[in-house]
Amino acid sequence: MTAAEGDRPPLSGTSAQRVFLAVQTLSALGDSFAYVAIPLLVLHSTGSVVQMGAVTGLTGLASILTGPFAGVLADRVDRRRLLIVSDTARCLLYLFVPVVWAFATPVWLIYTVVPVAGIFSMLFQVTYVAVVPALVGPGQITRANGRLYASYAAAGVAGPALAGLVASSAGPATAIGIDAATFAISALGIRFVRFDATARPPVAAERRRPRGEFLAGVRFLWAHPVLRPLTVLLSVLTFLTYGLTDLVVYLVKHELGHADATVGYVLAVGTVGTFAASSVVARLRRRLGFGVSWIGSFSVAGLAVACLGVARTVPVVAALVTVQLMCTGIAGICSMSLRQEVTPAPLLGRVTSSFWTVHSALGPLGATATTAAASGLGVTTVCLFTGSAVLLVALTGSVTGILRPETGEPRLEETA
């Protein structure tokens, strides 16, 4: 790392960084509206927690199938342009829902539009991770990711509460329309952001087929002593927790008997945990190291999920969701920062998409299984089992390379 890189400001010191932070906050606001509005729209239309889980599962499946191509695109094309296209597409897709809902309520439309939006969401997320190192120095990556998480949390505090209020007064479809508008503004804002040369990866002298390029990312993950066990454990954790939001919505609405607005308040309070994670993650990782931070965070998250099973008041549910999101936020920031630090810039898109595709592969199945189990066995039983399993998987990390000391070793090179 050069002196210039180390001294580069952490995502807030230049106009490009400030604009990027602002537009990502708007994009996060849109995500937080969808976070509440889509499950509520399905629940209003069908009254079924199983169908909520089916939509969540289909969306995750669409993202997973996109993964192999998302990283290839992010490493081949102008990353700024890809961010704009992804936000524009999500705007148009989500806008279609309230327009159609003004005349009819075809549930099949949700099953069509939301998974397609998930494709562009995956494209956006992979590309966003790949451009962060183009804005900050390597020594500032964890801190920069913390600031981005803070912006998401700030949007997330207001977004779910507002979405719940809008859904109560004007219907979930209207909330999805507001979601579309935030993506439009985000796409416009990205047009004014300029990244350094790493946002436009050099074209390789000899390009492989997309499958071969995707496998380059998989090979890198498999060769790395920390990323390999991390990917395996996160695959199991994703299976266990992918449908957790649906469980919280169902718990507050049906088992505790509260209105849509209360669902929004609970999820809004919960995102305060993400804000807390962004504030402490850099210091925590510096003091404890990656392995202890990641394992400890997911262990506490598992305990919080288990306690949701016996929670019987809204304040307790909100507090537990806050703890769970704080812990998974810390683990997520640490994980993303490690990948950005050890991966060569031209390979970062493919490594990111490979990582997300592999560890998310079981997510749709998990969401479907979790919500189906909740419908038959109740949220209490499912949360107790899920939380205990998360704790066990997290502790398993202590016997893997995840506890390997951070030695600042150079990045592994891309292999043919």
Side-chain angles (χ1 to χ4, degrees):
M1 180 177 66
T2 67
E5 287 172 331
D7 293 338
R8 201 184 304 175
L11 203 62
S12 62
T14 70
S15 59
Q17 293 169 357
R18 287 192 293 269
V19 171
F20 185 74
L21 193 61
V23 297
Q24 295 322 297
T25 302
L26 278 173
S27 189
L29 184 64
D31 285 336
S32 67
F33 261 76
Y35 182 61
V36 176
I38 290 172
L40 285 176
L41 186 62
V42 175
L43 196 58
H44 277 223
S45 302
T46 67
S48 170
V49 67
V50 174
Q51 291 209 45
M52 289 170 63
V55 172
T56 301
L58 281 174
T59 304
L61 180 61
S63 297
I64 291 167
L65 294 176
T66 307
F69 308 100
V72 173
L73 282 174
D75 286 341
R76 278 190 174 193
V77 306
D78 186 307
R79 289 168 176 168
R80 172 176 162 271
R81 185 174 301 169
L82 192 54
L83 289 172
I84 294 171
V85 169
S86 299
D87 262 348
T88 301
R90 287 191 287 176
C91 166
L92 295 175
L93 286 165
Y94 282 129
L95 184 61
F96 195 52
V97 173
V99 170
V100 172
W101 236 253
F103 304 98
T105 57
V107 176
W108 63 264
L109 182 65
I110 306 173
Y111 282 89
T112 303
V113 167
V114 176
V116 175
I119 292 174
F120 289 99
S121 179
M122 172 61 86
L123 282 171
F124 184 92
Q125 290 172 33
V126 169
T127 309
Y128 140 74
V129 171
V131 301
V132 168
L135 288 172
V136 300
Q140 299 285 358
I141 287 177
T142 301
R143 188 178 173 192
N145 286 328
R147 285 179 181 259
L148 285 167
Y149 260 66
S151 75
Y152 291 157
V157 168
L162 290 174
L165 288 173
V166 172
S168 293
S169 60
T174 301
I176 294 174
I178 295 174
D179 182 18
T182 63
F183 288 126
I185 299 171
S186 176
L188 180 63
I190 293 172
R191 291 181 179 274
F192 298 97
V193 180
R194 294 293 183 270
F195 304 104
D196 70 19
T198 60
R200 295 175 178 171
V203 179
E206 180 182 353
R207 282 185 172 174
R208 306 170 183 148
R209 293 179 179 177
R211 176 176 175 271
E213 294 195 49
F214 174 72
L215 290 178
V218 174
R219 283 195 294 270
F220 184 90
L221 289 174
W222 188 252
H224 198 278
V226 179
L227 295 182
R228 180 173 60 248
L230 186 69
T231 305
V232 173
L233 293 182
L234 273 173
S235 298
V236 181
L237 290 169
T238 300
F239 172 83
L240 293 169
T241 62
Y242 202 81
L244 188 59
T245 298
D246 291 336
L247 289 182
V248 172
V249 171
Y250 191 72
L251 173 64
V252 174
K253 283 273 299 174
H254 281 261
E255 297 204 357
L256 300 183
H258 290 273
D260 291 351
T262 305
V263 174
Y265 290 138
V266 167
L267 296 177
V269 170
T271 57
V272 174
T274 306
F275 187 81
S278 69
S279 301
V280 303
V281 62
R283 291 191 298 271
L284 191 67
R285 183 183 173 190
R286 187 167 55 248
R287 181 170 300 178
L288 301 179
F290 171 81
V292 174
S293 299
W294 190 89
I295 293 170
S297 296
F298 261 119
S299 297
V300 177
L303 293 174
V305 173
C307 290
L308 275 173
V310 294
R312 286 298 174 265
T313 65
V314 168
V316 173
V317 172
L320 291 170
V321 171
T322 300
V323 172
Q324 186 264 335
L325 288 177
M326 180 184 72
C327 293
T328 55
I330 291 171
I333 295 170
C334 288
S335 173
M336 181 165 61
S337 300
L338 179 69
R339 292 197 312 276
Q340 291 167 325
E341 290 162 357
V342 302
T343 306
L347 192 58
L348 186 52
R350 280 166 287 169
V351 169
T352 298
S353 66
S354 299
F355 181 82
W356 281 349
T357 301
V358 172
H359 89 69
S360 299
L362 298 177
L365 178 62
T368 303
T370 297
T371 51
S375 179
L377 302 175
V379 173
T380 296
T381 300
V382 174
C383 284
L384 287 171
F385 172 81
T386 299
S388 300
V390 168
L391 175 61
L392 179 62
V393 172
L395 293 176
T396 301
S398 62
V399 296
T400 70
I402 290 176
L403 281 177
R404 181 187 180 96
E406 297 183 69
T407 59
E409 58 187 88
R411 297 177 179 186
L412 299 176
E413 297 298 325
E414 180 179 1
T415 57

